[in-house]
Amino acid sequence: MVKISYNISITNGGVIMKVLAISSSPRRGGNSDVLCDEFLKGAAEAGHETRKIRLAEKKIAPCAACYGCTESHVCVRKDDMVNVCLLYTSPSPRDA
């Protein structure tokens, strides 16, 4: 599965999209991974900023339903999901 997210900003040179692809495929070089790369290649050739995250390379623990996040809005588990969320909400993939 591939999730594509983008931010649009307008500059003097035109519209620039900041594209973040999140690949959940467990196989590097598999169909989804190649599709993701080709999509990002096209976006980069069009002058847009691109970034890719492969979830299979991240250490992400499942929710423990401990409700530790209810007040702080921060997960008590210290894993890579924090970094994924920061990239997803970052104004620019290159800023992350």
Side-chain angles (χ1 to χ4, degrees):
M1 184 171 137
V2 175
K3 165 83 173 151
I4 305 292
S5 174
Y6 60 89
N7 247 336
I8 299 175
S9 61
I10 300 174
T11 65
N12 291 338
V15 176
I16 296 178
M17 285 196 287
K18 297 164 180 110
V19 181
L20 173 65
I22 301 174
S23 175
S24 60
S25 174
R27 296 182 308 139
R28 179 182 289 280
N31 291 339
S32 296
D33 200 42
V34 170
L35 176 66
C36 189
D37 290 341
E38 290 299 312
F39 180 86
L40 291 177
K41 180 181 171 186
E45 288 172 355
H48 304 299
E49 296 181 24
T50 64
R51 180 76 186 250
K52 178 180 171 184
I53 298 174
R54 292 194 73 251
L55 294 182
E57 297 172 352
K58 304 293 181 194
K59 180 185 172 209
I60 300 174
C63 178
C66 69
Y67 301 101
C69 62
T70 54
E71 290 187 27
S72 67
H73 303 288
V74 177
C75 183
V76 297
R77 294 191 180 238
K78 304 302 179 206
D79 61 9
D80 291 334
M81 194 61 199
V82 172
N83 297 326
V84 171
C85 288
L86 287 174
L87 284 172
Y88 187 73
T89 59
S90 172
S92 171
R94 289 189 183 161
D95 293 343

